[in-house]
Amino acid sequence: MRTDDSLLRDPTAEAAGLARAPVAAPADLRAGTVALLDIGKMRGDEFVDRLAALLAARGFRLKRWKKPTNTRTAPLPILQEIAAEAQAVIIALSDCGSCTSCSTHDLNDLDQRGVPGVNVLTEEFQDAFARQCGSLGFEGRAVFVPHPILNRTTAEIHAIAERYLEAILAALGSAEARRAA
Amino acid sequence: MPLDIPCPTLPDDGLVVFLKAECPTCQLVAPLLPALGATVVVQDAPAAFAGGWDDTALALSFAADIEVVPTLIRRVGGREVARTYGWDREEWRRLSGDAALGEALPVFRPGCGSKSREPNVHEHLVARFSQPGIGSRQVAVGEWDDPIEACFDRGWSDGLPVVPPTDARILRMLAGTPLSPQTVVGRMPPDLAPLTVEKVAINAVMAGCKPDYMPVLLAAIEAALEPVFTLHGIVCTTCFSAPIIIVNGPIARSIGMNSGINALGQGNRANATIGRALNLIIRNVGGGRPGELDRSTIGGPGKYTFCFAENEDDPRWQPLAQARGIAPGRSAVTLFQGDGIQGFVDWKSRTPEELSKSLSMSLLAVGHPKLCEFFNAILVLSPEHHAIFADAGWDRARIEASLRDNLRRPGTELVAGAQGVGEGMAPSRAGDMVDKFWPEGLLVVRAGGAAGLYSAICCGWSGGRFREESQPVTKEIIA
């Protein structure tokens, strides 16, 4: 039998979904720093490298952080630093279950600190992302890229970054990307 | 009467006895049970009785609506046809058909209370084994997740932890009002969403209320939803304001509200949670969330909670509710659109005239010293300050009249640009003597501890300038 505390009742007017909407994306992504949070999964750094180069070339101010392991949520100091220094965050690249769960917690945590973000995951983990968001009660933003990642060449991973850059920026609310879309 | 809940696991025919090991009367009858052939249902320690069924979850006790142990029931064809409580030799003999049963036992021994009827247990059992009749969406929290964090995650909190709104807690809260959970008490701004008694109860649970606070909370909601209270404006305004709740009458004492030391501060559950519940309802049902439709530029701590009781321990003082038309001996809430406090310190005034002038100097600053007939206000007189008036024979009416006189200013000092300050009243008022407050715009209340020459001022919101459109509201509390 479930414990009593595991079933709650909705205190709202139930006019909207149960999940919490993410904080609004900044009006101008170039007005502040965009955090790139590498979750520490193998090969993910190659994706983030290319993403960083592309964003820098477009004039975005970037700062990178890297988790010590993809199998845990981000250490508190990293979350605090991102909240203090960045106005938006791109979290990449999840291609496994623990990556997905932990990175989605990071997305939720940063959102509650006021930092809007997008989680980049592979298509195989769309359901897992939805489930994790559901259990967190959070409408997280995500961009899904092709699966798998681990057995690709660096050139192929870079090509994926190039192909999904606009979608990532659009998810973060970039006016320029929305226009392009 | 047994509840209309199927009880399929009990035998269709025969005797059933409900027991608990810690009950002396249950122990008294235990030697009789093997010969009776009864099904033995045990609420606490099944091994304590031969062949005892495990009902530590109390499912069978709840289904059979057991109030006392031992209870002996005879069932025929799947239905109960007779029951008796405690040890009553004649009744046990009648139900069992054994005319010699318990000859060695006393004639009568009362039983003990059923575990299913212990305080706070019944609502848990309704939630687990019955249809609780709660219509709000159910939200499942992950097995390993913290329900308090889950409430934060879903945006249901004002920033402080909330009590998770489980069915058992909601049912207990609903017991605090005779109203049906489906009763719509109004439409809560800014979304103008229907507010049911059930949603009130859920948010009251989250705020930490006790069930007997419900009449006060419901009266506060009723007052807040009066059009002239302008709650919609209060919630969405860029001003600081939130509803300030003042409670008068016997209910304040009966639910343990604080009207004395630190009355406007922390530490009293009723003061803290009634005000908090109203603000959570505004947030969760009305959609008044900061940064979304709550656009308060700076905000204020009153947006968490601001609720206190008036100190009515001096018969020389007419309580606010009576001044606003509520009969003596009745309870009431008064809702005011305000913020604060602005502290008022006067350690030296000894006459009522001095103190009235002194208070007026601070009251003039409400909102802005040059804005008159604009903001309403609450003046919270401490007992020591009040005593200076009362000892000189001044009652409420005289205090208010004196303050009004002392707060009247020549328009030449108040118009925009006067005294080198751009803010101010319309130039057309230059020739007038202008009152600081509308005649009904200053609510004087008495609260606080016996010691301390400190009073407090709560500033009203800027909508108070529309005298007919935005006013404090008083409602009688119907418990």
Side-chain angles (χ1 to χ4, degrees):
Chain A
M1 187 172 63
R2 299 177 70 103
T3 60
D4 287 340
D5 267 11
S6 64
L7 285 174
L8 311 180
R9 295 287 182 166
D10 184 354
T12 74
E14 304 183 21
L18 270 170
R20 187 185 89 252
V23 294
D28 180 4
L29 271 181
R30 286 188 174 79
T33 297
V34 175
L36 288 172
L37 177 57
D38 180 344
I39 66 165
K41 183 69 190 289
M42 283 182 297
R43 312 298 306 279
D45 54 346
E46 295 165 53
F47 180 86
V48 176
D49 286 346
R50 184 62 185 145
L51 210 54
L54 293 167
L55 290 167
R58 290 198 185 193
F60 288 93
R61 198 184 320 154
L62 305 171
K63 183 165 179 181
R64 284 180 70 160
W65 281 266
K66 185 171 184 177
K67 289 167 59 168
T69 169
N70 59 296
T71 59
R72 292 186 194 175
T73 56
L76 185 60
I78 287 183
L79 296 167
Q80 290 175 330
E81 284 174 24
I82 292 173
E85 298 182 34
Q87 64 159 359
V89 61
I90 299 168
I91 303 174
L93 173 65
S94 293
D95 66 345
C96 68
S98 57
C99 311
T100 300
S101 174
C102 294
S103 63
T104 306
H105 275 282
D106 296 336
L107 184 75
N108 180 49
D109 184 296
L110 285 165
D111 186 86
Q112 293 194 25
R113 292 172 196 271
V115 183
V118 57
N119 201 2
V120 185
L121 316 95
T122 61
E123 289 164 342
E124 282 297 307
F125 294 94
Q126 289 193 45
D127 288 351
F129 177 75
R131 289 290 294 270
Q132 187 62 77
C133 282
S135 78
L136 288 169
F138 172 51
E139 293 172 359
R141 303 182 184 96
V143 169
F144 298 99
V145 302
H147 189 86
I149 293 293
L150 289 176
N151 62 359
R152 293 188 193 266
T153 65
T154 298
E156 287 171 337
I157 292 174
H158 284 185
I160 291 172
E162 290 156 14
R163 183 153 33 115
Y164 285 88
L165 176 66
E166 294 301 337
I168 291 166
L169 287 172
L172 274 182
S174 156
E176 165 186 312
R178 280 200 302 271
R179 279 195 298 275
Chain B
M1 290 290 292
L3 300 180
D4 183 23
I5 295 170
C7 194
T9 51
L10 289 177
D12 285 346
D13 297 289
L15 293 170
V16 181
V17 60
F18 287 81
L19 305 169
K20 63 179 184 184
E22 64 185 29
C23 165
T25 307
C26 295
Q27 296 292 350
L28 181 78
V29 303
L32 308 178
L33 301 177
L36 280 183
T39 300
V40 178
V41 181
V42 186
Q43 296 183 336
D44 51 359
F49 299 93
W53 287 23
D54 184 348
D55 193 36
T56 49
L58 301 174
L60 291 172
S61 297
F62 172 73
D65 197 23
I66 302 300
E67 297 183 49
V68 173
V69 286
T71 289
L72 180 66
I73 293 175
R74 173 165 287 285
R75 288 167 60 85
V76 175
R79 296 180 61 83
E80 175 181 332
V81 295
R83 76 165 60 187
T84 184
Y85 316 94
W87 165 250
D88 181 329
R89 192 163 65 191
E90 289 310 307
E91 282 293 294
W92 278 65
R93 286 177 175 178
R94 185 176 66 80
L95 260 68
S96 67
D98 180 349
L101 184 70
E103 189 62 36
L105 300 187
V107 173
F108 178 80
R109 282 285 184 275
C112 299
S114 168
K115 290 189 80 66
S116 55
R117 287 288 175 172
E118 287 178 359
N120 296 330
V121 171
H122 187 70
E123 294 82 3
H124 280 289
L125 300 179
V126 172
R128 286 180 190 175
F129 303 124
S130 179
Q131 297 298 321
I134 299 172
S136 294
R137 262 191 309 214
Q138 208 165 41
V139 179
V141 176
E143 187 180 1
W144 301 102
D145 291 338
D146 181 333
I148 294 175
E149 293 297 332
C151 294
F152 275 117
D153 286 338
R154 283 162 181 78
W156 298 346
S157 159
D158 51 12
L160 294 169
V162 295
V163 177
T166 60
D167 282 2
R169 294 186 179 114
I170 296 163
L171 289 170
R172 277 200 290 276
M173 195 60 66
L174 285 167
T177 173
L179 296 174
S180 151
Q182 281 70 47
T183 303
V184 175
V185 295
R187 302 182 79 85
M188 182 54 62
D191 289 348
L192 299 178
L195 173 62
T196 61
V197 169
E198 180 177 303
K199 293 293 185 187
V200 172
I202 294 173
N203 283 278
V205 165
M206 293 167 65
C209 290
K210 294 175 73 172
D212 59 348
Y213 305 168
M214 279 290 275
V216 181
L217 176 58
L218 286 164
I221 292 165
E222 187 186 359
L225 294 179
E226 281 284 327
V228 77
F229 188 71
T230 50
L231 182 63
H232 206 142
I234 298 296
V235 171
C236 300
T237 179
T238 45
C239 204
F240 313 86
S241 312
I244 298 177
I245 304 170
I246 304 162
V247 182
N248 280 104
I251 200 166
R253 291 186 298 280
S254 68
I255 65 173
M257 291 192 73
N258 183 15
S259 63
I261 293 172
N262 205 39
L264 276 58
Q266 83 289 13
N268 177 278
R269 181 171 177 178
N271 291 30
T273 61
I274 292 169
R276 188 187 189 201
L278 177 56
N279 283 294
L280 281 176
I281 289 166
I282 290 169
R283 174 191 180 89
N284 288 326
V285 180
R289 288 178 286 271
E292 297 176 23
L293 288 167
D294 175 346
R295 308 297 295 193
S296 181
T297 307
I298 291 177
K303 284 170 160 289
Y304 286 101
T305 180
F306 200 157
C307 174
F308 63 98
E310 187 165 23
N311 188 330
E312 301 181 12
D313 67 4
D314 187 336
R316 298 174 297 179
W317 177 248
Q318 181 192 38
L320 179 70
Q322 273 71 75
R324 294 177 60 82
I326 301 295
R330 312 294 295 182
S331 297
V333 289
T334 296
L335 261 69
F336 179 83
Q337 310 92 334
D339 60 81
I341 61 166
Q342 171 192 338
F344 169 79
V345 181
D346 186 326
W347 296 340
K348 297 190 174 64
S349 290
R350 295 175 61 108
T351 68
E353 291 83 2
E354 274 185 290
L355 184 57
S356 173
K357 284 180 186 167
S358 181
L359 283 163
S360 298
M361 293 170 79
S362 282
L363 283 164
L364 195 63
V366 162
H368 189 284
K370 290 180 63 189
L371 291 175
C372 298
E373 295 176 345
F374 199 104
F375 297 92
N376 297 320
I378 298 172
L379 169 61
V380 184
L381 274 181
S382 66
E384 275 202 71
H385 275 153
H386 168 244
I388 292 171
F389 291 119
D391 291 348
W394 285 32
D395 63 4
R396 168 186 284 279
R398 187 158 179 196
I399 295 168
E400 290 176 351
S402 173
L403 290 170
R404 193 155 52 247
D405 289 346
N406 286 322
L407 282 163
R408 195 167 292 129
R409 286 285 178 276
T412 48
E413 293 180 7
L414 303 175
V415 295
Q419 305 182 61
V421 173
E423 186 56 272
M425 304 196 70
S428 61
R429 304 302 300 271
D432 297 341
M433 289 297 289
V434 185
D435 285 329
K436 174 66 181 178
F437 301 111
W438 303 116
E440 70 286 357
L442 178 64
L443 308 187
V444 186
V445 303
R446 180 178 178 275
L453 288 159
Y454 303 96
S455 289
I457 296 164
C458 300
C459 179
W461 79 308
S462 52
R465 67 192 186 278
F466 304 114
R467 181 180 179 187
E468 302 302 327
E469 298 299 323
S470 182
Q471 298 169 3
V473 172
T474 297
K475 288 281 179 189
E476 184 170 342
I477 298 168
I478 309 299

